[in-house]
Each structure stands twice: as structure tokens, then as C-alpha cells.
Amino acid sequence: MKEFKYVVTDPEGLHARPAGILVKKAAEFQSKIMIDKAGKAADAKRILGVMGLGVKKGEEVTITAEGEDEETAIVALEAFFKENL
């Protein structure tokens, strides 16, 4: 399992547009990808789960990838977060 932590800097937080892009990006990988905020986790491949976390600016999230392409997935997702959030 691979993981990284990220503090959201976007003023809007993890709102609908980046959440939708995140779900599409996560769906590109075979690995199980989870996003966790303050002990509450959601499947990063499901928009309602991601939106349900209510991630706001300044909050830290942990993204984990577990599976055959976890290394590739975690690198791509970390780049996504740095570029979009």
C-alpha cells in the first residue's frame, strides 16, 4: 500500500469540479484508491463518497492506493492534487 498526505489549498476546497476530475483519474487504475479526512474514508472512485467528505481549504487528506498499479496511481494522484487543489 502506498499513500500520501495533502493539505488542500484551493479556496473552494474539494468541490464538485475537482472531485469529478479526481474520480475520473482514480478510475484509470486497477488499485483500490481511498481518500481519508479526519478518520472518515471514502472510495475515490465514487463521486458521492468524495463529496460527502466535505473537504475544505486547509484540511489534510490522506490518499491511499493498494493493488497491482499502486505505485503509478499514487504518483499520478499526488500530481493531480498539487495541480488542482
Side-chain angles (χ1 to χ4, degrees):
M1 177 169 64
K2 302 286 184 182
E3 72 175 39
F4 72 92
K5 296 180 185 297
Y6 185 79
V7 176
V8 175
T9 58
D10 187 298
E12 302 290 320
L14 185 54
H15 58 95
R17 186 179 47 78
I21 298 168
L22 170 62
V23 169
K24 286 182 184 177
K25 179 57 84 176
E28 294 175 9
F29 302 99
Q30 296 291 322
S31 295
K32 178 180 179 182
I33 300 171
M34 301 294 290
I35 180 170
D36 180 286
K37 181 192 93 171
K40 184 177 177 186
D43 184 342
K45 296 180 182 182
R46 300 189 180 275
I47 188 74
L48 294 177
V50 173
M51 293 295 297
L53 293 175
V55 180
K56 296 178 176 34
K57 180 181 180 182
E59 293 182 323
E60 183 179 72
V61 294
T62 303
I63 291 63
T64 58
E66 184 173 4
E68 61 187 56
D69 58 356
E70 63 188 32
E71 185 68 42
T72 306
I74 211 73
V75 169
L77 291 168
E78 189 167 10
F80 166 82
F81 271 82
K82 288 179 180 176
E83 292 171 10
N84 295 285
L85 294 169

Coordinates of all heavy atoms in Angstrom, one line a residue:
M1 N 0.8 -1.2 0.0 CA 0.0 0.0 0.0 C 0.9 1.2 0.0 O 1.9 1.3 0.7 CB -0.9 0.0 1.2 CG -1.8 1.3 1.3 SD -3.1 1.2 2.5 CE -2.2 1.1 4.0
K2 N 0.5 2.2 -0.8 CA 1.2 3.5 -0.9 C 0.2 4.6 -0.5 O -1.0 4.4 -0.7 CB 1.7 3.8 -2.4 CG 2.6 2.7 -2.9 CD 4.0 2.8 -2.3 CE 4.9 1.8 -3.0 NZ 6.2 1.8 -2.4
E3 N 0.8 5.6 0.1 CA -0.1 6.7 0.5 C 0.7 8.1 0.5 O 1.9 8.1 0.5 CB -0.7 6.5 1.9 CG 0.3 6.7 3.0 CD -0.4 6.6 4.4 OE1 -1.3 5.7 4.5 OE2 0.0 7.3 5.3
F4 N -0.1 9.1 0.5 CA 0.5 10.5 0.6 C -0.6 11.3 1.3 O -1.7 11.1 1.3 CB 1.0 11.1 -0.7 CG -0.1 11.5 -1.6 CD1 -0.6 12.8 -1.6 CD2 -0.7 10.7 -2.5 CE1 -1.7 13.2 -2.4 CE2 -1.7 11.0 -3.4 CZ -2.2 12.3 -3.4
K5 N -0.1 12.4 2.0 CA -1.0 13.4 2.6 C -0.9 14.7 1.9 O 0.2 15.0 1.3 CB -0.5 13.6 4.1 CG -0.7 12.3 4.9 CD -0.3 12.6 6.4 CE -0.3 11.3 7.2 NZ -1.6 10.7 7.4
Y6 N -2.0 15.4 1.9 CA -2.0 16.7 1.2 C -3.0 17.6 1.9 O -4.0 17.3 2.3 CB -2.5 16.5 -0.3 CG -2.5 17.7 -1.1 CD1 -1.3 18.2 -1.6 CD2 -3.6 18.5 -1.3 CE1 -1.2 19.3 -2.4 CE2 -3.5 19.7 -2.0 CZ -2.3 20.1 -2.5 OH -2.3 21.3 -3.2
V7 N -2.5 18.9 2.1 CA -3.3 19.9 2.7 C -3.9 20.7 1.5 O -3.2 21.3 0.7 CB -2.5 20.8 3.6 CG1 -3.4 22.0 4.1 CG2 -1.9 20.0 4.8
V8 N -5.3 20.7 1.5 CA -6.0 21.4 0.4 C -5.8 22.9 0.5 O -6.0 23.5 1.5 CB -7.5 21.0 0.4 CG1 -8.3 21.8 -0.6 CG2 -7.7 19.5 0.2
T9 N -5.3 23.5 -0.7 CA -5.1 24.9 -0.7 C -6.1 25.7 -1.6 O -6.2 26.9 -1.5 CB -3.7 25.2 -1.3 OG1 -3.6 24.6 -2.6 CG2 -2.6 24.6 -0.4
D10 N -6.9 25.0 -2.3 CA -8.0 25.6 -3.1 C -9.0 26.3 -2.2 O -9.5 25.7 -1.3 CB -8.7 24.6 -4.0 CG -9.7 25.2 -5.0 OD1 -10.6 25.9 -4.6 OD2 -9.5 25.0 -6.2
P11 N -9.3 27.6 -2.5 CA -10.2 28.3 -1.6 C -11.6 27.7 -1.5 O -12.3 27.8 -0.5 CB -10.4 29.7 -2.3 CG -9.2 29.8 -3.2 CD -8.8 28.4 -3.5
E12 N -12.0 26.9 -2.5 CA -13.3 26.3 -2.6 C -13.2 24.9 -1.9 O -14.2 24.2 -1.8 CB -13.8 26.1 -4.0 CG -14.0 27.5 -4.7 CD -15.1 28.3 -4.2 OE1 -16.2 27.7 -3.8 OE2 -14.9 29.5 -4.0
G13 N -12.0 24.4 -1.6 CA -11.9 23.0 -1.1 C -12.0 22.0 -2.2 O -11.8 22.3 -3.4
L14 N -12.4 20.8 -1.9 CA -12.6 19.7 -2.8 C -14.0 19.8 -3.3 O -14.9 19.0 -2.9 CB -12.2 18.4 -2.2 CG -12.3 17.2 -3.2 CD1 -11.4 17.4 -4.4 CD2 -11.8 15.9 -2.4
H15 N -14.4 20.8 -4.1 CA -15.7 21.0 -4.6 C -16.0 20.1 -5.8 O -15.2 19.3 -6.2 CB -16.0 22.5 -4.9 CG -15.0 23.1 -5.9 ND1 -15.3 23.2 -7.2 CD2 -13.8 23.6 -5.7 CE1 -14.3 23.8 -7.9 NE2 -13.4 24.0 -7.0
A16 N -17.2 20.3 -6.4 CA -17.7 19.4 -7.5 C -16.8 19.2 -8.6 O -16.6 18.0 -9.1 CB -19.1 19.9 -7.9
R17 N -16.2 20.2 -9.2 CA -15.4 20.1 -10.4 C -14.1 19.3 -10.2 O -13.9 18.2 -10.8 CB -15.1 21.4 -11.0 CG -14.3 21.3 -12.4 CD -14.0 22.7 -13.0 NE -13.5 23.7 -12.0 CZ -12.2 23.7 -11.6 NH1 -11.3 22.8 -12.1 NH2 -11.7 24.6 -10.8
P18 N -13.3 19.6 -9.2 CA -12.1 18.8 -8.9 C -12.5 17.4 -8.4 O -11.7 16.5 -8.7 CB -11.3 19.6 -8.0 CG -12.2 20.6 -7.4 CD -13.3 20.9 -8.4
A19 N -13.6 17.3 -7.7 CA -14.0 16.0 -7.2 C -14.3 15.1 -8.4 O -13.9 13.9 -8.4 CB -15.2 16.1 -6.3
G20 N -15.0 15.6 -9.4 CA -15.3 14.8 -10.6 C -14.1 14.4 -11.3 O -14.0 13.3 -11.8
I21 N -13.1 15.3 -11.4 CA -11.9 15.0 -12.1 C -11.1 14.0 -11.3 O -10.5 13.0 -11.9 CB -11.0 16.3 -12.3 CG1 -11.8 17.3 -13.2 CG2 -9.7 15.9 -13.0 CD1 -11.2 18.7 -13.3
L22 N -11.1 14.1 -10.0 CA -10.4 13.1 -9.2 C -11.0 11.7 -9.4 O -10.3 10.7 -9.5 CB -10.5 13.5 -7.7 CG -10.0 12.4 -6.7 CD1 -8.6 12.1 -6.9 CD2 -10.3 12.9 -5.3
V23 N -12.3 11.6 -9.4 CA -13.0 10.3 -9.6 C -12.6 9.7 -10.9 O -12.3 8.5 -11.0 CB -14.5 10.4 -9.5 CG1 -15.2 9.2 -9.9 CG2 -14.9 10.8 -8.0
K24 N -12.5 10.5 -12.0 CA -12.1 10.0 -13.3 C -10.7 9.6 -13.3 O -10.3 8.5 -13.9 CB -12.3 11.1 -14.4 CG -13.8 11.3 -14.7 CD -13.9 12.4 -15.8 CE -15.3 12.7 -16.1 NZ -15.5 13.7 -17.1
K25 N -9.8 10.3 -12.6 CA -8.4 10.0 -12.5 C -8.2 8.7 -11.8 O -7.5 7.8 -12.2 CB -7.6 11.1 -11.9 CG -6.1 10.8 -11.7 CD -5.4 10.5 -13.0 CE -5.0 11.8 -13.7 NZ -4.2 11.4 -15.0
A26 N -8.9 8.5 -10.6 CA -8.8 7.3 -9.8 C -9.3 6.1 -10.6 O -8.8 5.0 -10.4 CB -9.6 7.5 -8.5
A27 N -10.3 6.3 -11.4 CA -10.9 5.2 -12.2 C -10.0 4.6 -13.2 O -10.2 3.5 -13.7 CB -12.2 5.6 -12.8
E28 N -8.9 5.3 -13.6 CA -7.9 4.9 -14.5 C -7.1 3.7 -14.0 O -6.4 3.1 -14.8 CB -7.0 6.0 -14.9 CG -7.7 7.2 -15.7 CD -6.7 8.3 -15.9 OE1 -5.5 8.2 -15.7 OE2 -7.2 9.4 -16.4
F29 N -7.1 3.5 -12.7 CA -6.2 2.5 -12.1 C -7.0 1.3 -11.6 O -8.2 1.4 -11.1 CB -5.4 3.2 -11.0 CG -4.6 4.3 -11.5 CD1 -5.1 5.6 -11.3 CD2 -3.5 4.1 -12.2 CE1 -4.4 6.7 -11.8 CE2 -2.7 5.2 -12.7 CZ -3.2 6.5 -12.5
Q30 N -6.3 0.1 -11.5 CA -6.9 -1.1 -11.0 C -6.9 -1.1 -9.5 O -7.8 -1.7 -8.9 CB -6.1 -2.3 -11.5 CG -6.2 -2.5 -13.0 CD -7.5 -3.0 -13.5 OE1 -8.2 -3.7 -12.8 NE2 -7.9 -2.5 -14.6
S31 N -6.0 -0.4 -8.9 CA -5.8 -0.4 -7.4 C -7.1 0.2 -6.7 O -7.8 1.0 -7.3 CB -4.6 0.5 -7.0 OG -3.5 -0.1 -7.5
K32 N -7.3 -0.2 -5.5 CA -8.3 0.4 -4.6 C -7.7 1.7 -4.1 O -6.6 1.7 -3.5 CB -8.6 -0.6 -3.4 CG -9.6 0.0 -2.5 CD -9.8 -1.0 -1.3 CE -10.8 -0.4 -0.3 NZ -11.0 -1.3 0.8
I33 N -8.4 2.8 -4.4 CA -8.0 4.1 -4.0 C -9.0 4.7 -3.0 O -10.1 4.8 -3.3 CB -7.8 5.0 -5.3 CG1 -6.7 4.3 -6.2 CG2 -7.3 6.4 -4.9 CD1 -6.6 4.9 -7.5
M34 N -8.4 5.1 -1.9 CA -9.3 5.7 -0.8 C -8.8 7.1 -0.5 O -7.6 7.4 -0.6 CB -9.2 4.8 0.4 CG -9.7 3.4 0.2 SD -11.4 3.3 -0.2 CE -12.2 3.7 1.3
I35 N -9.7 7.9 -0.1 CA -9.4 9.3 0.4 C -9.9 9.4 1.8 O -11.1 9.0 2.1 CB -9.9 10.4 -0.5 CG1 -9.5 11.8 0.0 CG2 -11.4 10.3 -0.8 CD1 -9.8 12.9 -1.0
D36 N -9.1 9.9 2.7 CA -9.5 9.9 4.1 C -9.3 11.3 4.7 O -8.3 12.0 4.4 CB -8.6 9.0 4.9 CG -8.9 8.9 6.4 OD1 -8.5 9.9 7.1 OD2 -9.4 8.0 6.9
K37 N -10.3 11.8 5.4 CA -10.2 13.1 6.1 C -10.7 12.9 7.5 O -11.8 12.5 7.8 CB -11.1 14.1 5.4 CG -11.0 15.5 6.1 CD -12.1 16.4 5.6 CE -13.3 16.3 6.6 NZ -14.3 17.3 6.4
A38 N -9.7 13.1 8.4 CA -10.0 13.1 9.9 C -10.7 11.8 10.3 O -11.7 11.8 11.0 CB -10.9 14.3 10.3
G39 N -10.2 10.7 9.7 CA -10.7 9.3 10.1 C -11.9 8.9 9.4 O -12.4 7.8 9.5
K40 N -12.5 9.7 8.5 CA -13.6 9.3 7.7 C -13.1 9.1 6.2 O -12.5 9.9 5.6 CB -14.6 10.5 7.6 CG -15.9 10.1 6.9 CD -16.9 11.2 7.0 CE -18.1 10.9 6.1 NZ -19.1 12.0 6.1
A41 N -13.3 7.9 5.7 CA -12.7 7.5 4.5 C -13.8 7.3 3.4 O -15.0 6.9 3.7 CB -11.9 6.2 4.6
A42 N -13.4 7.4 2.1 CA -14.4 7.2 1.0 C -13.6 6.6 -0.1 O -12.4 6.9 -0.3 CB -15.0 8.6 0.6
D43 N -14.3 5.9 -1.0 CA -13.7 5.4 -2.2 C -13.5 6.5 -3.2 O -14.5 7.2 -3.5 CB -14.7 4.3 -2.8 CG -14.2 3.6 -4.0 OD1 -13.3 4.1 -4.7 OD2 -14.8 2.6 -4.3
A44 N -12.3 6.7 -3.6 CA -12.0 7.9 -4.5 C -12.6 7.7 -5.9 O -12.5 8.6 -6.7 CB -10.5 8.1 -4.6
K45 N -13.2 6.5 -6.2 CA -13.8 6.3 -7.5 C -15.3 6.5 -7.5 O -15.9 6.3 -8.5 CB -13.5 4.8 -7.9 CG -12.0 4.5 -8.1 CD -11.8 3.1 -8.5 CE -10.3 2.8 -8.7 NZ -10.0 1.5 -9.1
R46 N -15.8 7.1 -6.4 CA -17.2 7.3 -6.2 C -17.4 8.8 -5.8 O -17.0 9.2 -4.8 CB -17.9 6.4 -5.2 CG -17.7 4.9 -5.6 CD -18.5 4.1 -4.6 NE -18.4 2.7 -5.0 CZ -19.1 2.0 -5.9 NH1 -20.0 2.7 -6.6 NH2 -18.9 0.8 -6.2
I47 N -18.1 9.5 -6.7 CA -18.3 11.0 -6.5 C -19.0 11.3 -5.3 O -18.6 12.3 -4.6 CB -18.9 11.6 -7.8 CG1 -18.9 13.1 -7.7 CG2 -20.3 11.1 -8.0 CD1 -17.6 13.8 -7.9
L48 N -20.0 10.6 -4.9 CA -20.8 10.9 -3.7 C -20.0 10.7 -2.5 O -20.1 11.5 -1.5 CB -22.1 10.1 -3.7 CG -23.1 10.5 -4.7 CD1 -24.4 9.6 -4.6 CD2 -23.5 11.9 -4.7
G49 N -19.1 9.7 -2.5 CA -18.3 9.5 -1.3 C -17.3 10.6 -1.2 O -17.1 11.1 -0.1
V50 N -16.7 11.0 -2.3 CA -15.7 12.1 -2.2 C -16.3 13.4 -1.8 O -15.8 14.1 -0.9 CB -15.0 12.3 -3.6 CG1 -14.1 13.5 -3.6 CG2 -14.2 11.0 -4.0
M51 N -17.5 13.7 -2.3 CA -18.2 14.9 -2.0 C -18.7 14.9 -0.5 O -18.7 15.9 0.1 CB -19.4 15.2 -2.9 CG -19.0 15.5 -4.4 SD -18.1 17.0 -4.6 CE -19.3 18.2 -4.0
G52 N -19.0 13.7 -0.1 CA -19.5 13.5 1.3 C -18.5 13.8 2.4 O -18.9 14.1 3.5
L53 N -17.3 13.8 2.0 CA -16.2 14.1 3.0 C -16.2 15.6 3.3 O -15.7 16.0 4.4 CB -14.8 13.7 2.5 CG -14.6 12.2 2.4 CD1 -13.2 12.0 1.7 CD2 -14.7 11.5 3.7
G54 N -16.7 16.5 2.4 CA -16.8 17.9 2.7 C -15.4 18.5 2.9 O -15.3 19.3 3.9
V55 N -14.4 18.2 2.1 CA -13.1 18.7 2.3 C -13.0 20.2 2.0 O -13.4 20.6 0.9 CB -12.1 17.9 1.5 CG1 -10.7 18.5 1.7 CG2 -12.1 16.4 1.8
K56 N -12.5 21.0 3.0 CA -12.4 22.4 2.9 C -11.0 22.8 2.8 O -10.1 22.1 3.1 CB -13.1 23.1 4.0 CG -14.6 22.8 4.0 CD -15.3 23.5 5.2 CE -16.8 23.4 5.3 NZ -17.4 22.2 4.8
K57 N -10.7 24.1 2.4 CA -9.4 24.6 2.4 C -8.7 24.5 3.7 O -9.3 24.8 4.8 CB -9.4 26.1 2.0 CG -8.0 26.7 1.9 CD -8.1 28.2 1.6 CE -6.7 28.7 1.5 NZ -6.6 30.2 1.2
G58 N -7.4 24.1 3.7 CA -6.7 24.0 4.9 C -6.8 22.6 5.6 O -6.1 22.3 6.6
E59 N -7.7 21.8 5.1 CA -7.8 20.4 5.7 C -6.9 19.4 5.1 O -6.6 19.5 3.9 CB -9.3 19.9 5.6 CG -10.2 20.8 6.5 CD -11.6 20.3 6.4 OE1 -12.1 19.9 5.4 OE2 -12.3 20.4 7.5
E60 N -6.4 18.5 5.8 CA -5.5 17.5 5.3 C -6.2 16.2 5.0 O -7.1 15.8 5.7 CB -4.4 17.1 6.4 CG -3.4 16.1 5.9 CD -2.3 15.8 6.9 OE1 -2.6 15.2 7.9 OE2 -1.2 16.3 6.7
V61 N -5.9 15.7 3.8 CA -6.5 14.4 3.4 C -5.3 13.4 3.2 O -4.2 13.8 2.9 CB -7.3 14.5 2.1 CG1 -8.5 15.4 2.3 CG2 -6.5 15.1 0.9
T62 N -5.6 12.2 3.3 CA -4.7 11.1 3.1 C -5.2 10.2 1.9 O -6.4 9.8 2.0 CB -4.5 10.2 4.3 OG1 -4.0 11.0 5.4 CG2 -3.4 9.1 4.0
I63 N -4.5 10.1 0.9 CA -4.9 9.3 -0.2 C -4.0 8.0 -0.2 O -2.8 8.0 -0.1 CB -4.6 10.0 -1.6 CG1 -5.6 11.2 -1.8 CG2 -4.9 9.1 -2.8 CD1 -5.5 12.3 -0.9
T64 N -4.7 6.8 -0.3 CA -4.0 5.5 -0.3 C -4.4 4.8 -1.6 O -5.5 4.9 -2.1 CB -4.4 4.7 0.9 OG1 -5.8 4.5 0.9 CG2 -4.0 5.3 2.2
A65 N -3.4 4.0 -2.1 CA -3.6 3.2 -3.2 C -3.1 1.8 -2.9 O -2.0 1.7 -2.3 CB -2.9 3.7 -4.4
E66 N -3.9 0.8 -3.1 CA -3.5 -0.6 -2.8 C -3.9 -1.5 -4.0 O -5.0 -1.6 -4.3 CB -4.1 -1.1 -1.5 CG -3.7 -2.4 -1.1 CD -4.2 -2.8 0.3 OE1 -5.0 -2.1 0.9 OE2 -3.9 -3.9 0.8
G67 N -2.9 -2.1 -4.6 CA -3.1 -3.0 -5.7 C -1.9 -3.1 -6.6 O -0.9 -2.6 -6.4
E68 N -2.2 -3.7 -7.8 CA -1.1 -4.0 -8.7 C -0.4 -2.8 -9.3 O 0.7 -2.8 -9.6 CB -1.6 -5.0 -9.8 CG -2.7 -4.4 -10.6 CD -3.2 -5.5 -11.6 OE1 -3.7 -6.5 -11.1 OE2 -3.2 -5.2 -12.8
D69 N -1.2 -1.7 -9.5 CA -0.6 -0.5 -10.1 C -0.6 0.7 -9.0 O -0.6 1.8 -9.4 CB -1.4 -0.1 -11.3 CG -2.9 0.2 -11.1 OD1 -3.3 0.0 -10.0 OD2 -3.5 0.6 -12.1
E70 N -0.4 0.3 -7.8 CA -0.5 1.4 -6.7 C 0.6 2.4 -6.9 O 0.4 3.6 -6.6 CB -0.4 0.7 -5.3 CG 0.9 0.0 -5.0 CD 0.8 -0.8 -3.7 OE1 -0.2 -1.3 -3.3 OE2 1.9 -1.0 -3.1
E71 N 1.8 2.0 -7.3 CA 2.9 3.0 -7.4 C 2.6 4.0 -8.5 O 2.7 5.2 -8.2 CB 4.2 2.3 -7.8 CG 5.4 3.2 -7.8 CD 5.8 3.7 -6.4 OE1 5.8 2.9 -5.4 OE2 6.1 4.9 -6.4
T72 N 2.1 3.6 -9.6 CA 1.8 4.5 -10.7 C 0.6 5.4 -10.3 O 0.6 6.6 -10.5 CB 1.4 3.7 -12.0 OG1 2.5 2.8 -12.3 CG2 1.1 4.6 -13.1
A73 N -0.4 4.8 -9.6 CA -1.6 5.5 -9.2 C -1.2 6.6 -8.2 O -1.7 7.7 -8.3 CB -2.6 4.5 -8.6
I74 N -0.4 6.3 -7.2 CA -0.1 7.3 -6.2 C 0.7 8.5 -6.8 O 0.4 9.6 -6.4 CB 0.6 6.6 -5.0 CG1 0.2 7.4 -3.7 CG2 2.1 6.6 -5.1 CD1 -1.2 7.2 -3.2
V75 N 1.6 8.2 -7.7 CA 2.3 9.3 -8.3 C 1.4 10.2 -9.1 O 1.5 11.4 -9.0 CB 3.5 8.7 -9.2 CG1 4.1 9.8 -10.1 CG2 4.5 8.0 -8.4
A76 N 0.5 9.6 -9.9 CA -0.4 10.4 -10.7 C -1.4 11.2 -9.8 O -1.7 12.3 -10.1 CB -1.2 9.4 -11.6
L77 N -1.9 10.6 -8.8 CA -2.8 11.3 -7.9 C -2.2 12.4 -7.1 O -2.8 13.5 -6.9 CB -3.5 10.3 -7.0 CG -4.5 9.3 -7.7 CD1 -4.9 8.2 -6.7 CD2 -5.7 10.1 -8.2
E78 N -0.9 12.2 -6.7 CA -0.2 13.3 -6.0 C 0.0 14.5 -6.9 O -0.2 15.6 -6.5 CB 1.1 12.7 -5.4 CG 1.8 13.7 -4.5 CD 2.9 13.2 -3.7 OE1 3.4 12.0 -4.0 OE2 3.4 13.8 -2.8
A79 N 0.3 14.2 -8.2 CA 0.5 15.2 -9.2 C -0.9 16.0 -9.4 O -0.9 17.2 -9.5 CB 1.0 14.7 -10.5
F80 N -1.9 15.2 -9.4 CA -3.3 15.8 -9.6 C -3.6 16.7 -8.5 O -4.1 17.9 -8.7 CB -4.4 14.7 -9.7 CG -5.7 15.2 -9.5 CD1 -6.4 15.8 -10.6 CD2 -6.4 15.2 -8.2 CE1 -7.7 16.3 -10.4 CE2 -7.6 15.7 -8.1 CZ -8.3 16.3 -9.1
F81 N -3.4 16.3 -7.2 CA -3.7 17.2 -6.1 C -2.8 18.5 -6.1 O -3.4 19.5 -5.9 CB -3.5 16.4 -4.8 CG -4.7 15.7 -4.3 CD1 -5.0 14.5 -4.8 CD2 -5.5 16.3 -3.4 CE1 -6.1 13.8 -4.4 CE2 -6.7 15.6 -3.0 CZ -7.0 14.3 -3.5
K82 N -1.6 18.3 -6.4 CA -0.7 19.5 -6.5 C -1.1 20.5 -7.6 O -1.0 21.7 -7.4 CB 0.8 19.1 -6.7 CG 1.3 18.5 -5.4 CD 2.8 18.0 -5.6 CE 3.3 17.4 -4.3 NZ 4.6 16.9 -4.5
E83 N -1.6 20.0 -8.7 CA -2.0 20.9 -9.8 C -3.4 21.5 -9.6 O -3.7 22.5 -10.1 CB -2.0 20.1 -11.1 CG -0.6 19.7 -11.6 CD -0.6 18.7 -12.7 OE1 -1.7 18.5 -13.3 OE2 0.4 18.2 -13.0
N84 N -4.3 20.7 -9.0 CA -5.7 21.1 -8.9 C -6.3 21.6 -7.6 O -7.3 22.2 -7.5 CB -6.6 20.0 -9.5 CG -6.3 19.7 -10.9 OD1 -6.7 20.4 -11.8 ND2 -5.6 18.6 -11.2
L85 N -5.6 21.2 -6.5 CA -6.1 21.6 -5.2 C -5.1 22.3 -4.3 O -5.2 22.5 -3.2 CB -6.7 20.3 -4.5 CG -7.9 19.7 -5.2 CD1 -8.1 18.3 -4.6 CD2 -9.1 20.5 -5.0

